[in-house]
Amino acid sequence: MTRRNSQSWSSQSIASRWQHQFFYLAIRLGGRRLAYAFTYPVVCYYMLFRPGIRKRTRHYLRRRFPDHKGLAAFRDSFRLSLSFAKVLVDRAIVGIAGPESMDVRFDSMEEIQDLIDQGSGLILMNAHVGCWQVAMSSIHMLDTPVNLLMKREHGDVDRHYHEHRGMPCPYKIIDPDGFLGGAVEIVQALQRGEIISVMGDRVFGNDKNKLKIPFIGETAEFPVGAYKIAAITGAPVAVLFSRKTGVNSYALELAGIIRVNPVQDRGLENLRPYVLEFAGLLEGYLQLHAYQFYNFHDMWENQRAEAGKH
Amino acid sequence: MTFKEKVKHTLVNELNLEDVQPQDILDDAPLFGEGLGLDSLDAVELVVIVQKHFGVEIANMEEGKTAFQSINSLCTFIQERNPQ
């Protein structure tokens, strides 16, 4: 949920259209191996000659690995960026060759179906880990319509997986910049028993519905809108993380189910336990899969600025 | 109590508007942003409240735009669909 305003970050791809097209061509001509091979020089270029890009990897990495300095820190940035580049290649492969080209293991499909069968809809809470588009291609097998609360930058050249083959969009996109943050569409979708998919680890723009939560040793901001929606509608929140497990395989993990009680006042503090629960699940994931966190936004930024004032 | 007053009371009570009295809400004032100062999360709650208390479903964004302008527009929207 957000408002139309200025932002300090952008989800728009850093690469140009021809760079994307180059990788799509590499995939079509040489498959995954050729595209992966090209990720190495590209990532090297960004790490060596685009310090601004490398800096964006450091927000998370310097907190995850506070002891890593110099070469070790550079290696972390390279490893994370390379991992991200391969995820982008995988996403394009799913689009070009179809979802069946990726082996996605998901052992909790029955639990998700049970939650849907409760009839209050389902909020799927993801994070910027693994590849959510690969996850979505798997969730699509549920036969339950999926609505994605997602902001897409105007003019972004980065394609979603279904766009490669001109397929109809397998999910409905709800624009958080739409009228009242898509409130009407969200409620109606949940009341129809559908899935609303949201990212739990990024605050959009100047959204005021957020809380400061301890996360990887410091205080970071997390959005709370989804928990409030869950409290209002009674929808359960399923925390779902994906991760790359092999060259052409991913795993989807139901990290937890958050049940939000109805709230009795307007204060966001009532929602703190649920945000803490999510942050704890995400931190646990990152302990195991440190190089699969692709949230390059500085979640800790405002806290540092405030600390500087005192 | 008029229907308009009933709607105002329902909003104040259900949205827990602690610093607002029903009589403080102007009939023509915007519900969101300036005016009553509700935000997008309140809108989620408002959709559910209108359905629960007045039996009227706000089916899509266009209907929401029509209904959520002000108390006047909300009352008109509800009464057109569910005359009480």
Side-chain angles (χ1 to χ4, degrees):
Chain A
M1 312 288 288
T2 187
R3 296 175 180 185
R4 196 181 304 275
N5 44 34
S6 62
Q7 315 176 344
S8 60
W9 62 272
S10 168
S11 63
Q12 196 161 348
S13 172
I14 58 170
S16 62
R17 184 179 298 275
W18 76 265
Q19 289 168 319
H20 282 275
Q21 296 291 349
F22 176 83
F23 271 94
Y24 301 153
L25 186 64
I27 291 166
R28 289 177 196 279
L29 295 178
R32 184 191 318 273
R33 286 179 187 279
L34 181 63
Y36 273 9
F38 282 124
T39 61
Y40 287 84
V42 168
V43 171
C44 276
Y45 165 77
Y46 279 112
M47 290 298 100
L48 291 171
F49 302 113
R50 298 282 295 275
I53 301 298
R54 181 158 49 87
K55 190 178 170 189
R56 285 169 62 175
T57 67
R58 299 302 309 158
H59 304 311
Y60 156 65
L61 287 171
R62 72 162 167 263
R63 290 165 175 95
R64 177 64 181 82
F65 300 108
D67 299 333
H68 290 194
K69 313 284 183 194
L71 191 60
F74 184 88
R75 194 176 57 223
D76 288 340
S77 292
F78 183 87
R79 191 169 166 188
L80 182 67
S81 301
L82 186 65
S83 168
F84 183 53
K86 288 181 177 176
V87 163
L88 293 181
V89 169
D90 290 345
R91 193 182 72 176
I93 289 170
V94 169
I96 292 167
E100 61 278 5
S101 63
M102 199 64 69
D103 178 21
V104 183
R105 200 192 83 228
F106 184 32
D107 298 331
S108 303
M109 197 69 92
E110 280 185 23
E111 285 175 84
I112 292 290
Q113 189 62 58
D114 287 345
L115 293 172
I116 293 169
D117 290 345
Q118 290 172 14
S120 298
L122 176 66
I123 297 174
L124 267 189
M125 187 166 286
N126 308 304
H128 291 78
V129 295
C131 182
W132 66 264
Q133 295 215 28
V134 170
M136 284 296 107
S137 70
S138 174
I139 287 297
H140 193 54
M141 292 186 294
L142 281 168
D143 288 336
T144 302
V146 177
N147 302 264
L148 212 56
L149 190 64
M150 188 184 80
K151 181 175 172 57
R152 195 164 190 195
E153 300 292 333
H154 179 68
D156 194 355
V157 296
D158 198 8
R159 286 187 195 168
H160 286 219
Y161 77 89
H162 64 275
E163 293 171 326
H164 286 276
R165 292 197 295 184
M167 293 159 52
C169 186
Y171 36 76
K172 182 183 174 192
I173 293 177
I174 298 177
D175 182 1
D177 275 351
F179 177 68
L180 296 176
V184 176
E185 293 151 292
I186 291 168
V187 173
Q188 294 304 339
L190 290 173
Q191 289 187 339
R192 288 192 299 267
E194 295 178 4
I195 294 170
I196 294 283
S197 177
V198 300
M199 287 292 178
D201 62 341
R202 181 177 284 177
V203 177
F204 286 102
N206 290 334
D207 188 358
K208 292 177 180 170
N209 296 303
K210 59 192 175 187
L211 282 175
K212 295 170 183 172
I213 297 292
F215 183 59
I216 323 181
E218 288 185 43
T219 306
E221 285 186 337
F222 284 81
V224 299
Y227 308 99
K228 184 76 181 284
I229 292 168
I232 294 165
T233 61
V237 179
V239 179
L240 200 65
F241 296 144
S242 71
R243 70 175 188 276
K244 187 170 172 61
T245 53
V247 174
N248 66 339
S249 62
Y250 280 79
L252 267 179
E253 179 187 332
L254 179 61
I257 299 166
I258 301 176
R259 296 185 187 277
V260 184
N261 296 323
V263 291
Q264 298 304 321
D265 66 50
R266 293 166 58 77
L268 298 179
E269 280 302 317
N270 289 306
L271 303 170
R272 182 173 292 276
Y274 311 112
V275 191
L276 276 168
E277 191 174 345
F278 173 78
L281 292 170
L282 181 56
E283 196 164 330
Y285 172 99
L286 296 178
Q287 288 300 321
L288 297 173
H289 315 289
Y291 298 98
Q292 295 209 37
F293 187 49
Y294 311 122
N295 186 344
F296 300 113
H297 170 62
D298 188 356
M299 306 163 70
W300 301 267
E301 181 181 31
N302 291 339
Q303 285 65 53
R304 257 206 329 277
E306 283 176 15
K309 290 177 187 172
H310 299 299
Chain B
M1 185 185 287
T2 65
F3 182 68
K4 204 172 285 186
E5 289 169 340
K6 184 182 174 187
V7 170
K8 289 180 182 178
H9 271 91
T10 304
L11 259 59
V12 169
N13 291 334
E14 292 292 320
L15 292 173
N16 299 299
L17 303 175
E18 291 173 354
D19 300 327
V20 179
Q21 296 300 316
Q23 59 271 24
D24 297 338
I25 304 175
L26 301 175
D27 295 350
D28 279 329
L31 295 178
F32 295 89
E34 293 178 14
L36 193 53
L38 303 182
D39 66 14
S40 54
L41 285 182
D42 293 317
V44 172
E45 199 157 9
L46 198 49
V47 173
V48 175
I49 290 168
V50 169
Q51 197 167 329
K52 179 179 161 190
H53 288 268
F54 303 105
V56 171
E57 182 179 331
I58 296 171
N60 54 49
M61 195 169 61
E62 289 308 312
E63 288 193 354
K65 281 181 181 172
T66 304
F68 291 159
Q69 297 294 321
S70 64
I71 287 292
N72 276 344
S73 63
L74 181 58
C75 290
T76 302
F77 182 87
I78 294 170
Q79 288 183 309
E80 281 176 356
R81 284 156 181 78
N82 187 14
Q84 296 181 12

